[in-house]
Amino acid sequence: ITRYQVTGKLPEPLLENLRAALTQNTIREIDHEPMEKSAGWTSFESPFKPDFESSPLIYGTHMIFSMRIDKKKVPGKVLAKQVNMETARRLQKSDRKTLSKAEKTQLKDEVLHRLLLRMPATPNIYDVVWDYEGQSLWFFSNLKAANEELEALFAKTFKQSIIRMFPYTMADMSCGLSGPEKDALVNLARMTH
């Protein structure tokens, strides 16, 4: 779990604005599209069929939803095989010995496009619990790429930033440190990295 501090608040009415923001940035399905990645929000209870209208989002002072990242990865050897087969077919059809560099690039892009259209995306789901009153957010992943995606998507969706809470940021934000104490904390943080 990664803990964050949320820097602002949503405008009232809270539930309607939360639903609208999540709906506007819902995960886009890419199974039948030539995209390699899609990231967005989904509902906690039905992550493969996002529904923010009928899914409960608020439990007491906590908001619960999920972030989903779908990825497609064409194995390099599969792409190379398909490109080689298509190159041979085109060369045979045109009675030429080689393709130009531009033709090779275009051919590779076309083959990749076709493969991505046929390939299903692999979904990764990460739950989010937002303590609205306490302005804390818990993200159920420590993966660097997932955390970076969350930070960008959260800022885009809610027009607020979130601060990752490490022991040093927690001490800095919660202990009311003086200037010299903050300098000592920064020096201590540098020495441990």
Side-chain angles (χ1 to χ4, degrees):
I1 297 174
T2 304
R3 183 173 168 225
Y4 287 90
Q5 185 73 36
V6 182
T7 60
K9 296 258 186 190
L10 289 175
E12 292 292 335
L14 180 62
L15 184 57
E16 288 79 8
N17 284 316
L18 176 65
R19 277 197 173 113
L22 292 172
T23 300
Q24 188 175 22
N25 292 282
T26 299
I27 181 85
R28 178 179 172 190
E29 296 293 338
I30 60 170
D31 278 343
H32 303 291
E33 294 189 32
M35 297 173 61
E36 293 185 60
K37 179 180 158 190
S38 178
W41 304 117
T42 188
S43 49
F44 175 76
E45 290 185 348
S46 59
F48 299 109
K49 242 183 148 187
D51 176 17
F52 297 112
E53 289 304 315
S54 61
S55 292
L57 294 170
I58 298 180
Y59 298 85
T61 61
H62 293 77
M63 297 181 271
I64 300 175
F65 48 92
S66 298
M67 181 182 78
R68 194 172 101 205
I69 302 173
D70 290 0
K71 290 183 181 178
K72 295 180 184 181
K73 178 85 172 121
V74 176
K77 292 180 180 181
V78 171
L79 180 60
K81 174 186 172 187
Q82 295 295 318
V83 167
N84 283 335
M85 289 171 44
E86 183 63 21
T87 301
R89 188 185 69 73
R90 286 196 185 177
L91 289 174
Q92 183 181 20
K93 192 175 178 181
S94 68
D95 257 355
R96 294 169 44 200
K97 296 218 185 272
T98 61
L99 297 176
S100 70
K101 186 175 180 177
E103 288 173 313
K104 288 178 184 177
T105 302
Q106 181 183 1
L107 179 103
K108 184 177 179 182
D109 290 344
E110 289 172 8
V111 169
L112 180 61
H113 180 88
R114 280 198 310 267
L115 290 172
L116 287 172
L117 278 172
R118 295 187 341 223
M119 178 178 282
T122 303
N124 291 292
I125 300 163
Y126 308 96
D127 297 326
V128 177
V129 176
W130 183 358
D131 175 5
Y132 188 70
E133 295 297 321
Q135 291 185 283
S136 291
L137 184 135
W138 293 272
F139 182 60
F140 288 75
S141 176
N142 284 325
L143 295 173
K144 182 180 178 189
N147 279 270
E148 289 172 353
E149 195 71 52
L150 170 75
E151 293 164 13
L153 186 59
F154 195 91
K156 176 184 171 193
T157 303
F158 301 110
K159 312 296 184 252
Q160 306 175 33
S161 60
I162 51 179
I163 301 165
R164 201 176 308 189
M165 300 304 286
F166 299 104
Y168 299 104
T169 56
M170 289 171 32
D172 182 33
M173 295 179 75
S174 64
C175 294
L177 301 175
S178 66
E181 291 170 328
K182 285 185 181 188
D183 292 343
L185 183 65
V186 168
N187 288 334
L188 182 61
R190 285 185 188 143
M191 286 190 302
T192 61
H193 287 38

